[in-house]
């Protein structure tokens, strides 16, 4: 369900990226046309030169911000994929750990080693139990490390989403530049 949710988020982000990309391209084209028009006027009127320079700087900033925003969106997608892979790995680790508990409990009632099918001495029984326990500990450590990394990825995605929202707000100023 979480993977499906992430895939839906990815699809929504892809659609938003496409819409915003088109909007940004349209705005860039309009701004580029304005820059060209202003350059012609600047040759005729010196006071317009300073205004043109400021407008060109702003257009370049907006284009840079748009590129940054697109890179952040791509990062979110990559982070989302990483989180999904870690989640899947953790689901597998959990299943594997759940299998180990009954194996440890079953050791008390078996006469042959479940690993090598030889007679199970008390020492051998303890060695097998320790192997199962160590395996469970390794899997648990990996599970916790993956969980911590998923939490870090979620935090990073939230930070990037906030940056995108700020960039979107700034990029909405583009129509004002068109005047």
């Amino acid at each position: 369900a979480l993977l499906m949710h992430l895939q839906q988020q990815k699809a929504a982000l892809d659609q938003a990226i496409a819409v915003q990309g088109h909007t940004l391209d349209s705005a860039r084209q309009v701004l580029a046309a304005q820059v060209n028009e202003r350059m012609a006027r600047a040759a005729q009127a010196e006071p317009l030169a300073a205004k043109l320079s400021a407008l060109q700087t702003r257009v370049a900033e907006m284009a840079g911000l748009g590129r940054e925003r697109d890179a952040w969106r791509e990062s979110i997608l990559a982070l989302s994929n990483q989180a999904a892979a870690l989640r899947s790995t953790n689901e597998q680790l959990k299943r594997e750990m759940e299998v180990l508990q009954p194996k440890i409990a079953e050791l008390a009632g078996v006469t042959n080693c479940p690993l090598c099918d030889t007679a199970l001495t008390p020492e051998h029984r303890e060695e097998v139990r320790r192997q199962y326990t160590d395996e469970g500990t390794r899997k648990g450590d990996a599970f916790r490390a993956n969980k911590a990394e998923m939490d870090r990825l979620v935090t990073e995605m939230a930070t990037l989403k906030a940056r995108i929202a700020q960039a979107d707000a700034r990029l909405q100023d583009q129509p004002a530049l068109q005047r």
Side-chain angles (χ1 to χ4, degrees):
L2 185 54
L3 182 58
M4 181 179 287
H5 177 72
L6 287 172
Q7 288 172 339
Q8 290 172 344
Q9 283 183 334
K10 177 188 176 284
L13 283 173
D14 286 344
Q15 184 179 10
I17 288 170
V19 168
Q20 288 296 325
H22 177 70
T23 301
L24 185 57
D25 287 341
S26 296
R28 283 183 192 149
Q29 289 173 358
V30 169
L31 289 173
Q34 281 186 340
V35 167
N36 290 335
E37 176 186 335
R38 300 269 165 107
M39 288 176 76
R41 287 184 187 172
Q44 298 171 2
E46 201 140 322
L48 291 178
K51 193 172 184 178
L52 175 62
S53 177
L55 181 60
Q56 288 173 327
T57 300
R58 183 78 172 131
V59 167
E61 289 172 0
M62 290 293 195
L65 184 59
R67 286 188 298 275
E68 276 185 304
R69 181 192 59 193
D70 293 344
W72 294 332
R73 286 184 172 141
E74 288 176 18
S75 293
I76 286 174
L77 180 60
L79 294 171
S80 177
N81 289 338
Q82 288 175 351
L86 288 170
R87 195 170 294 103
S88 176
T89 299
N90 268 9
E91 289 169 2
Q92 179 64 30
L93 285 170
K94 185 176 180 182
R95 286 189 297 271
E96 291 171 3
M97 287 186 291
E98 288 170 349
V99 168
L100 288 174
Q101 288 301 325
K103 285 183 174 183
I104 293 171
E106 289 172 5
L107 280 176
V110 295
T111 57
N112 285 341
C113 175
L115 301 177
C116 63
D117 202 32
T118 61
L120 196 58
T121 65
E123 295 81 19
H124 192 181
R125 184 182 317 275
E126 181 56 28
E127 174 63 23
V128 172
R129 187 201 60 74
R130 186 185 57 71
Q131 287 177 4
Y132 284 156
T133 302
D134 289 349
E135 183 180 350
T137 300
R138 283 190 305 275
K139 290 180 186 299
D141 290 347
F143 182 93
R144 286 182 290 281
N146 289 347
K147 174 70 169 96
E149 179 64 7
M150 282 189 294
D151 292 344
R152 186 194 69 76
L153 293 174
V154 166
T155 300
E156 189 173 343
M157 284 188 287
T159 299
L160 290 173
K161 286 177 183 179
R163 287 181 183 169
I164 289 170
Q166 290 171 348
D168 285 343
R170 286 188 57 205
L171 289 170
Q172 287 178 354
D173 291 341
Q174 283 183 339
L177 290 176
Q178 293 173 353
R179 287 187 245 147

PDB file of all heavy atoms in Angstrom, residues 109-139:
ATOM      1  N   GLY A 109      13.160 -29.389  21.170  1.00  0.00           N
ATOM      2  CA  GLY A 109      12.476 -30.660  20.977  1.00  0.00           C
ATOM      3  C   GLY A 109      13.018 -31.530  19.864  1.00  0.00           C
ATOM      4  O   GLY A 109      12.451 -32.585  19.580  1.00  0.00           O
ATOM      5  N   VAL A 110      14.104 -31.151  19.218  1.00  0.00           N
ATOM      6  CA  VAL A 110      14.614 -31.964  18.118  1.00  0.00           C
ATOM      7  C   VAL A 110      15.860 -32.735  18.555  1.00  0.00           C
ATOM      8  O   VAL A 110      16.605 -32.307  19.433  1.00  0.00           O
ATOM      9  CB  VAL A 110      14.938 -31.096  16.875  1.00  0.00           C
ATOM     10  CG1 VAL A 110      13.688 -30.480  16.318  1.00  0.00           C
ATOM     11  CG2 VAL A 110      15.987 -30.057  17.170  1.00  0.00           C
ATOM     12  N   THR A 111      16.064 -33.888  17.940  1.00  0.00           N
ATOM     13  CA  THR A 111      17.230 -34.711  18.284  1.00  0.00           C
ATOM     14  C   THR A 111      18.342 -34.595  17.246  1.00  0.00           C
ATOM     15  O   THR A 111      19.478 -34.889  17.554  1.00  0.00           O
ATOM     16  CB  THR A 111      16.808 -36.192  18.418  1.00  0.00           C
ATOM     17  OG1 THR A 111      16.200 -36.588  17.189  1.00  0.00           O
ATOM     18  CG2 THR A 111      15.855 -36.392  19.572  1.00  0.00           C
ATOM     19  N   ASN A 112      17.995 -34.165  16.035  1.00  0.00           N
ATOM     20  CA  ASN A 112      19.003 -33.973  14.990  1.00  0.00           C
ATOM     21  C   ASN A 112      19.123 -32.493  14.665  1.00  0.00           C
ATOM     22  O   ASN A 112      18.135 -31.748  14.693  1.00  0.00           O
ATOM     23  CB  ASN A 112      18.637 -34.745  13.725  1.00  0.00           C
ATOM     24  CG  ASN A 112      18.871 -36.233  13.879  1.00  0.00           C
ATOM     25  OD1 ASN A 112      19.614 -36.672  14.761  1.00  0.00           O
ATOM     26  ND2 ASN A 112      18.230 -37.006  13.024  1.00  0.00           N
ATOM     27  N   CYS A 113      20.320 -32.093  14.319  1.00  0.00           N
ATOM     28  CA  CYS A 113      20.610 -30.695  13.976  1.00  0.00           C
ATOM     29  C   CYS A 113      19.835 -30.316  12.714  1.00  0.00           C
ATOM     30  O   CYS A 113      19.917 -31.015  11.699  1.00  0.00           O
ATOM     31  CB  CYS A 113      22.113 -30.520  13.762  1.00  0.00           C
ATOM     32  SG  CYS A 113      22.543 -28.853  13.196  1.00  0.00           S
ATOM     33  N   PRO A 114      19.111 -29.181  12.744  1.00  0.00           N
ATOM     34  CA  PRO A 114      18.379 -28.733  11.563  1.00  0.00           C
ATOM     35  C   PRO A 114      19.309 -28.225  10.457  1.00  0.00           C
ATOM     36  O   PRO A 114      18.895 -28.084   9.322  1.00  0.00           O
ATOM     37  CB  PRO A 114      17.484 -27.622  12.080  1.00  0.00           C
ATOM     38  CG  PRO A 114      18.123 -27.150  13.338  1.00  0.00           C
ATOM     39  CD  PRO A 114      18.877 -28.309  13.902  1.00  0.00           C
ATOM     40  N   LEU A 115      20.569 -27.968  10.792  1.00  0.00           N
ATOM     41  CA  LEU A 115      21.511 -27.450   9.803  1.00  0.00           C
ATOM     42  C   LEU A 115      22.301 -28.559   9.111  1.00  0.00           C
ATOM     43  O   LEU A 115      22.508 -28.522   7.906  1.00  0.00           O
ATOM     44  CB  LEU A 115      22.491 -26.460  10.459  1.00  0.00           C
ATOM     45  CG  LEU A 115      21.856 -25.241  11.121  1.00  0.00           C
ATOM     46  CD1 LEU A 115      22.918 -24.391  11.791  1.00  0.00           C
ATOM     47  CD2 LEU A 115      21.073 -24.423  10.118  1.00  0.00           C
ATOM     48  N   CYS A 116      22.780 -29.551   9.913  1.00  0.00           N
ATOM     49  CA  CYS A 116      23.652 -30.578   9.319  1.00  0.00           C
ATOM     50  C   CYS A 116      23.108 -31.999   9.485  1.00  0.00           C
ATOM     51  O   CYS A 116      23.732 -32.958   9.050  1.00  0.00           O
ATOM     52  CB  CYS A 116      25.055 -30.473   9.912  1.00  0.00           C
ATOM     53  SG  CYS A 116      25.128 -30.800  11.683  1.00  0.00           S
ATOM     54  N   ASP A 117      21.950 -32.152  10.144  1.00  0.00           N
ATOM     55  CA  ASP A 117      21.258 -33.433  10.312  1.00  0.00           C
ATOM     56  C   ASP A 117      22.076 -34.480  11.079  1.00  0.00           C
ATOM     57  O   ASP A 117      21.909 -35.663  10.900  1.00  0.00           O
ATOM     58  CB  ASP A 117      20.820 -33.989   8.953  1.00  0.00           C
ATOM     59  CG  ASP A 117      19.677 -34.993   9.115  1.00  0.00           C
ATOM     60  OD1 ASP A 117      18.870 -34.824  10.047  1.00  0.00           O
ATOM     61  OD2 ASP A 117      19.619 -35.940   8.307  1.00  0.00           O
ATOM     62  N   THR A 118      22.966 -34.007  11.958  1.00  0.00           N
ATOM     63  CA  THR A 118      23.700 -34.928  12.831  1.00  0.00           C
ATOM     64  C   THR A 118      23.022 -34.924  14.197  1.00  0.00           C
ATOM     65  O   THR A 118      22.173 -34.076  14.480  1.00  0.00           O
ATOM     66  CB  THR A 118      25.177 -34.503  12.977  1.00  0.00           C
ATOM     67  OG1 THR A 118      25.221 -33.205  13.569  1.00  0.00           O
ATOM     68  CG2 THR A 118      25.897 -34.517  11.646  1.00  0.00           C
ATOM     69  N   ALA A 119      23.432 -35.864  15.056  1.00  0.00           N
ATOM     70  CA  ALA A 119      22.873 -35.914  16.413  1.00  0.00           C
ATOM     71  C   ALA A 119      23.143 -34.587  17.108  1.00  0.00           C
ATOM     72  O   ALA A 119      24.226 -34.022  16.994  1.00  0.00           O
ATOM     73  CB  ALA A 119      23.487 -37.067  17.196  1.00  0.00           C
ATOM     74  N   LEU A 120      22.143 -34.098  17.820  1.00  0.00           N
ATOM     75  CA  LEU A 120      22.221 -32.779  18.436  1.00  0.00           C
ATOM     76  C   LEU A 120      22.624 -32.909  19.905  1.00  0.00           C
ATOM     77  O   LEU A 120      21.814 -33.261  20.751  1.00  0.00           O
ATOM     78  CB  LEU A 120      20.858 -32.069  18.302  1.00  0.00           C
ATOM     79  CG  LEU A 120      20.828 -30.580  18.536  1.00  0.00           C
ATOM     80  CD1 LEU A 120      21.769 -29.854  17.575  1.00  0.00           C
ATOM     81  CD2 LEU A 120      19.422 -30.053  18.302  1.00  0.00           C
ATOM     82  N   THR A 121      23.886 -32.623  20.204  1.00  0.00           N
ATOM     83  CA  THR A 121      24.375 -32.635  21.583  1.00  0.00           C
ATOM     84  C   THR A 121      23.991 -31.311  22.227  1.00  0.00           C
ATOM     85  O   THR A 121      23.677 -30.333  21.521  1.00  0.00           O
ATOM     86  CB  THR A 121      25.900 -32.790  21.620  1.00  0.00           C
ATOM     87  OG1 THR A 121      26.485 -31.625  21.015  1.00  0.00           O
ATOM     88  CG2 THR A 121      26.356 -34.063  20.908  1.00  0.00           C
ATOM     89  N   PRO A 122      24.031 -31.219  23.551  1.00  0.00           N
ATOM     90  CA  PRO A 122      23.727 -29.933  24.197  1.00  0.00           C
ATOM     91  C   PRO A 122      24.636 -28.803  23.698  1.00  0.00           C
ATOM     92  O   PRO A 122      24.173 -27.673  23.503  1.00  0.00           O
ATOM     93  CB  PRO A 122      23.947 -30.215  25.685  1.00  0.00           C
ATOM     94  CG  PRO A 122      23.701 -31.689  25.828  1.00  0.00           C
ATOM     95  CD  PRO A 122      24.193 -32.295  24.552  1.00  0.00           C
ATOM     96  N   GLU A 123      25.914 -29.102  23.490  1.00  0.00           N
ATOM     97  CA  GLU A 123      26.830 -28.074  23.012  1.00  0.00           C
ATOM     98  C   GLU A 123      26.473 -27.645  21.581  1.00  0.00           C
ATOM     99  O   GLU A 123      26.495 -26.460  21.230  1.00  0.00           O
ATOM    100  CB  GLU A 123      28.290 -28.584  23.037  1.00  0.00           C
ATOM    101  CG  GLU A 123      28.816 -28.884  24.429  1.00  0.00           C
ATOM    102  CD  GLU A 123      28.378 -30.257  24.960  1.00  0.00           C
ATOM    103  OE1 GLU A 123      27.969 -31.135  24.155  1.00  0.00           O
ATOM    104  OE2 GLU A 123      28.416 -30.434  26.189  1.00  0.00           O
ATOM    105  N   HIS A 124      26.177 -28.648  20.766  1.00  0.00           N
ATOM    106  CA  HIS A 124      25.809 -28.359  19.373  1.00  0.00           C
ATOM    107  C   HIS A 124      24.481 -27.578  19.333  1.00  0.00           C
ATOM    108  O   HIS A 124      24.323 -26.646  18.541  1.00  0.00           O
ATOM    109  CB  HIS A 124      25.708 -29.665  18.590  1.00  0.00           C
ATOM    110  CG  HIS A 124      25.631 -29.458  17.104  1.00  0.00           C
ATOM    111  ND1 HIS A 124      25.515 -30.496  16.239  1.00  0.00           N
ATOM    112  CD2 HIS A 124      25.655 -28.358  16.318  1.00  0.00           C
ATOM    113  CE1 HIS A 124      25.447 -30.040  15.006  1.00  0.00           C
ATOM    114  NE2 HIS A 124      25.538 -28.730  15.035  1.00  0.00           N
ATOM    115  N   ARG A 125      23.547 -27.959  20.200  1.00  0.00           N
ATOM    116  CA  ARG A 125      22.252 -27.272  20.281  1.00  0.00           C
ATOM    117  C   ARG A 125      22.479 -25.784  20.610  1.00  0.00           C
ATOM    118  O   ARG A 125      21.888 -24.895  20.006  1.00  0.00           O
ATOM    119  CB  ARG A 125      21.373 -27.920  21.352  1.00  0.00           C
ATOM    120  CG  ARG A 125      19.970 -27.339  21.452  1.00  0.00           C
ATOM    121  CD  ARG A 125      19.149 -27.985  22.583  1.00  0.00           C
ATOM    122  NE  ARG A 125      19.271 -29.411  22.672  1.00  0.00           N
ATOM    123  CZ  ARG A 125      18.554 -30.302  21.980  1.00  0.00           C
ATOM    124  NH1 ARG A 125      17.646 -29.872  21.137  1.00  0.00           N
ATOM    125  NH2 ARG A 125      18.743 -31.590  22.131  1.00  0.00           N
ATOM    126  N   GLU A 126      23.383 -25.531  21.569  1.00  0.00           N
ATOM    127  CA  GLU A 126      23.683 -24.153  21.959  1.00  0.00           C
ATOM    128  C   GLU A 126      24.356 -23.406  20.801  1.00  0.00           C
ATOM    129  O   GLU A 126      24.068 -22.237  20.567  1.00  0.00           O
ATOM    130  CB  GLU A 126      24.584 -24.118  23.201  1.00  0.00           C
ATOM    131  CG  GLU A 126      24.930 -22.727  23.688  1.00  0.00           C
ATOM    132  CD  GLU A 126      23.728 -21.833  23.986  1.00  0.00           C
ATOM    133  OE1 GLU A 126      22.634 -22.340  24.341  1.00  0.00           O
ATOM    134  OE2 GLU A 126      23.866 -20.605  23.843  1.00  0.00           O
ATOM    135  N   GLU A 127      25.231 -24.068  20.067  1.00  0.00           N
ATOM    136  CA  GLU A 127      25.893 -23.446  18.918  1.00  0.00           C
ATOM    137  C   GLU A 127      24.874 -23.083  17.841  1.00  0.00           C
ATOM    138  O   GLU A 127      24.918 -21.974  17.277  1.00  0.00           O
ATOM    139  CB  GLU A 127      26.957 -24.391  18.336  1.00  0.00           C
ATOM    140  CG  GLU A 127      27.602 -23.903  17.057  1.00  0.00           C
ATOM    141  CD  GLU A 127      28.374 -22.598  17.223  1.00  0.00           C
ATOM    142  OE1 GLU A 127      28.788 -22.258  18.344  1.00  0.00           O
ATOM    143  OE2 GLU A 127      28.561 -21.906  16.198  1.00  0.00           O
ATOM    144  N   VAL A 128      23.944 -23.978  17.558  1.00  0.00           N
ATOM    145  CA  VAL A 128      22.910 -23.689  16.552  1.00  0.00           C
ATOM    146  C   VAL A 128      22.016 -22.549  17.030  1.00  0.00           C
ATOM    147  O   VAL A 128      21.690 -21.634  16.265  1.00  0.00           O
ATOM    148  CB  VAL A 128      22.078 -24.964  16.234  1.00  0.00           C
ATOM    149  CG1 VAL A 128      20.888 -24.625  15.345  1.00  0.00           C
ATOM    150  CG2 VAL A 128      22.962 -26.017  15.569  1.00  0.00           C
ATOM    151  N   ARG A 129      21.651 -22.573  18.307  1.00  0.00           N
ATOM    152  CA  ARG A 129      20.824 -21.493  18.870  1.00  0.00           C
ATOM    153  C   ARG A 129      21.550 -20.156  18.731  1.00  0.00           C
ATOM    154  O   ARG A 129      20.977 -19.143  18.331  1.00  0.00           O
ATOM    155  CB  ARG A 129      20.498 -21.769  20.344  1.00  0.00           C
ATOM    156  CG  ARG A 129      19.488 -20.748  20.918  1.00  0.00           C
ATOM    157  CD  ARG A 129      19.531 -20.664  22.444  1.00  0.00           C
ATOM    158  NE  ARG A 129      20.820 -20.267  22.969  1.00  0.00           N
ATOM    159  CZ  ARG A 129      21.339 -19.021  22.917  1.00  0.00           C
ATOM    160  NH1 ARG A 129      20.678 -18.055  22.331  1.00  0.00           N
ATOM    161  NH2 ARG A 129      22.515 -18.761  23.432  1.00  0.00           N
ATOM    162  N   ARG A 130      22.858 -20.158  19.030  1.00  0.00           N
ATOM    163  CA  ARG A 130      23.648 -18.942  18.926  1.00  0.00           C
ATOM    164  C   ARG A 130      23.705 -18.468  17.469  1.00  0.00           C
ATOM    165  O   ARG A 130      23.600 -17.275  17.188  1.00  0.00           O
ATOM    166  CB  ARG A 130      25.065 -19.164  19.457  1.00  0.00           C
ATOM    167  CG  ARG A 130      25.888 -17.864  19.514  1.00  0.00           C
ATOM    168  CD  ARG A 130      27.319 -18.086  19.919  1.00  0.00           C
ATOM    169  NE  ARG A 130      28.050 -19.015  19.069  1.00  0.00           N
ATOM    170  CZ  ARG A 130      28.433 -18.761  17.812  1.00  0.00           C
ATOM    171  NH1 ARG A 130      28.140 -17.626  17.244  1.00  0.00           N
ATOM    172  NH2 ARG A 130      29.109 -19.671  17.119  1.00  0.00           N
ATOM    173  N   GLN A 131      23.840 -19.397  16.532  1.00  0.00           N
ATOM    174  CA  GLN A 131      23.866 -19.023  15.116  1.00  0.00           C
ATOM    175  C   GLN A 131      22.543 -18.365  14.712  1.00  0.00           C
ATOM    176  O   GLN A 131      22.536 -17.332  14.031  1.00  0.00           O
ATOM    177  CB  GLN A 131      24.132 -20.252  14.236  1.00  0.00           C
ATOM    178  CG  GLN A 131      25.553 -20.746  14.299  1.00  0.00           C
ATOM    179  CD  GLN A 131      25.752 -22.019  13.469  1.00  0.00           C
ATOM    180  OE1 GLN A 131      24.835 -22.481  12.788  1.00  0.00           O
ATOM    181  NE2 GLN A 131      26.947 -22.583  13.545  1.00  0.00           N
ATOM    182  N   TYR A 132      21.435 -18.968  15.124  1.00  0.00           N
ATOM    183  CA  TYR A 132      20.121 -18.383  14.826  1.00  0.00           C
ATOM    184  C   TYR A 132      19.987 -17.011  15.479  1.00  0.00           C
ATOM    185  O   TYR A 132      19.500 -16.052  14.865  1.00  0.00           O
ATOM    186  CB  TYR A 132      18.993 -19.292  15.314  1.00  0.00           C
ATOM    187  CG  TYR A 132      18.727 -20.513  14.470  1.00  0.00           C
ATOM    188  CD1 TYR A 132      18.117 -21.631  15.031  1.00  0.00           C
ATOM    189  CD2 TYR A 132      19.044 -20.565  13.127  1.00  0.00           C
ATOM    190  CE1 TYR A 132      17.843 -22.767  14.278  1.00  0.00           C
ATOM    191  CE2 TYR A 132      18.780 -21.685  12.361  1.00  0.00           C
ATOM    192  CZ  TYR A 132      18.185 -22.787  12.939  1.00  0.00           C
ATOM    193  OH  TYR A 132      17.911 -23.895  12.189  1.00  0.00           O
ATOM    194  N   THR A 133      20.414 -16.910  16.726  1.00  0.00           N
ATOM    195  CA  THR A 133      20.315 -15.641  17.453  1.00  0.00           C
ATOM    196  C   THR A 133      21.189 -14.577  16.790  1.00  0.00           C
ATOM    197  O   THR A 133      20.751 -13.429  16.603  1.00  0.00           O
ATOM    198  CB  THR A 133      20.725 -15.828  18.926  1.00  0.00           C
ATOM    199  OG1 THR A 133      19.878 -16.818  19.505  1.00  0.00           O
ATOM    200  CG2 THR A 133      20.592 -14.537  19.705  1.00  0.00           C
ATOM    201  N   ASP A 134      22.407 -14.953  16.419  1.00  0.00           N
ATOM    202  CA  ASP A 134      23.295 -13.998  15.747  1.00  0.00           C
ATOM    203  C   ASP A 134      22.709 -13.543  14.415  1.00  0.00           C
ATOM    204  O   ASP A 134      22.772 -12.357  14.065  1.00  0.00           O
ATOM    205  CB  ASP A 134      24.683 -14.618  15.516  1.00  0.00           C
ATOM    206  CG  ASP A 134      25.479 -14.776  16.799  1.00  0.00           C
ATOM    207  OD1 ASP A 134      25.061 -14.234  17.843  1.00  0.00           O
ATOM    208  OD2 ASP A 134      26.533 -15.453  16.749  1.00  0.00           O
ATOM    209  N   GLU A 135      22.131 -14.491  13.692  1.00  0.00           N
ATOM    210  CA  GLU A 135      21.501 -14.142  12.414  1.00  0.00           C
ATOM    211  C   GLU A 135      20.345 -13.166  12.645  1.00  0.00           C
ATOM    212  O   GLU A 135      20.194 -12.182  11.925  1.00  0.00           O
ATOM    213  CB  GLU A 135      21.004 -15.406  11.708  1.00  0.00           C
ATOM    214  CG  GLU A 135      20.415 -15.135  10.343  1.00  0.00           C
ATOM    215  CD  GLU A 135      19.916 -16.401   9.643  1.00  0.00           C
ATOM    216  OE1 GLU A 135      20.189 -17.522  10.135  1.00  0.00           O
ATOM    217  OE2 GLU A 135      19.246 -16.253   8.615  1.00  0.00           O
ATOM    218  N   GLY A 136      19.548 -13.442  13.670  1.00  0.00           N
ATOM    219  CA  GLY A 136      18.444 -12.535  13.995  1.00  0.00           C
ATOM    220  C   GLY A 136      18.951 -11.154  14.389  1.00  0.00           C
ATOM    221  O   GLY A 136      18.372 -10.135  14.005  1.00  0.00           O
ATOM    222  N   THR A 137      20.041 -11.119  15.143  1.00  0.00           N
ATOM    223  CA  THR A 137      20.618  -9.830  15.547  1.00  0.00           C
ATOM    224  C   THR A 137      21.115  -9.057  14.326  1.00  0.00           C
ATOM    225  O   THR A 137      20.872  -7.845  14.210  1.00  0.00           O
ATOM    226  CB  THR A 137      21.781 -10.057  16.533  1.00  0.00           C
ATOM    227  OG1 THR A 137      21.265 -10.735  17.696  1.00  0.00           O
ATOM    228  CG2 THR A 137      22.417  -8.751  16.958  1.00  0.00           C
ATOM    229  N   ARG A 138      21.798  -9.739  13.415  1.00  0.00           N
ATOM    230  CA  ARG A 138      22.274  -9.069  12.194  1.00  0.00           C
ATOM    231  C   ARG A 138      21.102  -8.523  11.378  1.00  0.00           C
ATOM    232  O   ARG A 138      21.142  -7.394  10.893  1.00  0.00           O
ATOM    233  CB  ARG A 138      23.099 -10.036  11.340  1.00  0.00           C
ATOM    234  CG  ARG A 138      24.504 -10.275  11.850  1.00  0.00           C
ATOM    235  CD  ARG A 138      25.366 -11.038  10.845  1.00  0.00           C
ATOM    236  NE  ARG A 138      24.781 -12.298  10.410  1.00  0.00           N
ATOM    237  CZ  ARG A 138      24.894 -13.453  11.055  1.00  0.00           C
ATOM    238  NH1 ARG A 138      25.568 -13.518  12.191  1.00  0.00           N
ATOM    239  NH2 ARG A 138      24.338 -14.548  10.576  1.00  0.00           N
ATOM    240  N   LYS A 139      20.084  -9.331  11.244  1.00  0.00           N
ATOM    241  CA  LYS A 139      18.916  -8.882  10.473  1.00  0.00           C
ATOM    242  C   LYS A 139      18.219  -7.719  11.188  1.00  0.00           C
ATOM    243  O   LYS A 139      17.780  -6.766  10.551  1.00  0.00           O
ATOM    244  CB  LYS A 139      17.948 -10.042  10.240  1.00  0.00           C
ATOM    245  CG  LYS A 139      18.498 -11.081   9.270  1.00  0.00           C
ATOM    246  CD  LYS A 139      17.537 -12.224   9.052  1.00  0.00           C
ATOM    247  CE  LYS A 139      18.125 -13.320   8.201  1.00  0.00           C
ATOM    248  NZ  LYS A 139      18.508 -12.923   6.869  1.00  0.00           N
TER     249      LYS A 139
END
